[in-house]
Amino acid sequence: CYEIFEGRPRWKKRALTFAFLPQNKLSDNYKKTIARGFSKWQAVTPLSFRETGSYSKADIKIGFYSGEHGCGHAFDGVLGELAHAYAPPFGWFHFDNDENWVVHQGDQPGHNSKGPTMLTAIDLESVAIHEIGHLLGLGHSVDRNAIMFPTLTNGVRKIELQKDDVDGIQSLY
Ligand code: TQI
Ligand code: ZN
């Protein structure tokens, strides 16, 4: 079953904006993949998500960082922590830049920024959808199939919201 954060934090408005850290200069593939994650949650809630070019004004700020990056929670290099996101109303959405991120285009895994195929590939879309759940106020689920389950099976993409995720988010919004 799903869990919501203590105190039931949630967004008080329905139209939310997100923006990518300009210095990251992310490719369109990365941006589209993360945007697709937002649209999955948008489809099952009254919330709407729109990309804005104004990073400073965006409700949700998305960035890729290595190690210490000023949010009080350092990244740890390859594997371990992959990403983290804060409960409402923070909107901090951080990815560990040291991971071997993989973006799928259609059925094919796209190439990644790090090159060597020895590194464990981490599916950007799977992680993004999970983190957006946190951004919206969901904690972890004990339902193994749920997007909000706290483990990703190696190499398995998990990009469809399950009933448990939908029940969880609909209890909040
Ligand atoms: N990052 C952790 C996570 O998002 C951070 C975290 C730990 C956390 N405990 C939390 C966030 C409690 C909110 C509330 O779960 S992670 C997965 C997994 C991670 C893990 O990098 O370990 C995914 C990020 F385990 F589900 F696969 C994304 Cl999908
Ligand atoms: Zn999590």
Side-chain angles (χ1 to χ4, degrees):
C1 191
Y2 62 83
E3 218 174 281
I4 53 181
F5 291 126
E6 201 169 313
R8 221 181 135 77
R10 61 193 199 112
W11 294 94
K12 302 292 184 247
K13 56 180 178 182
R14 291 183 168 192
L16 298 168
T17 56
F18 62 91
F20 298 98
L21 183 68
Q23 296 93 292
N24 282 154
K25 297 193 177 19
L26 295 177
S27 69
D28 278 351
N29 269 332
Y30 272 54
K31 292 184 181 179
K32 273 189 214 150
T33 299
I34 296 168
R36 206 150 56 224
F38 282 108
S39 62
K40 299 250 160 110
W41 291 101
Q42 175 170 309
V44 299
T45 59
L47 299 171
S48 69
F49 302 98
R50 183 174 58 80
E51 185 183 348
T52 169
S54 174
Y55 184 77
S56 61
K57 289 195 196 135
D59 297 306
I60 295 167
K61 299 181 200 297
I62 304 164
F64 283 70
Y65 301 92
S66 294
E68 201 66 65
H69 54 277
C71 86
H73 204 105
F75 279 126
D76 53 5
V78 179
L79 300 182
E81 186 131 331
L82 312 169
H84 51 235
Y86 289 72
F90 291 99
W92 295 343
F93 188 177
H94 300 165
F95 291 90
D96 188 339
N97 206 25
D98 293 332
E99 307 304 341
N100 179 33
W101 294 109
V102 171
V103 169
H104 278 245
Q105 293 135 315
D107 286 337
Q108 283 183 314
H111 22 211
N112 51 70
S113 52
K114 304 284 165 186
T117 48
M118 314 283 294
L119 289 175
T120 304
I122 308 290
D123 183 58
L124 181 65
E125 189 165 2
S126 303
V127 171
I129 296 175
H130 178 97
E131 293 307 325
I132 295 166
H134 289 319
L135 277 172
L136 300 181
L138 289 180
H140 284 147
S141 174
V142 295
D143 183 334
R144 318 202 112 258
N145 297 314
I147 290 285
M148 297 315 294
F149 188 71
T151 313
L152 260 184
T153 312
N154 229 322
V156 175
R157 296 184 80 210
K158 213 182 193 181
I159 58 168
E160 298 299 338
L161 295 178
Q162 301 297 306
K163 182 177 189 304
D164 184 64
D165 302 303
V166 175
D167 288 347
I169 204 67
Q170 291 185 346
S171 77
L172 271 176
Y173 298 97

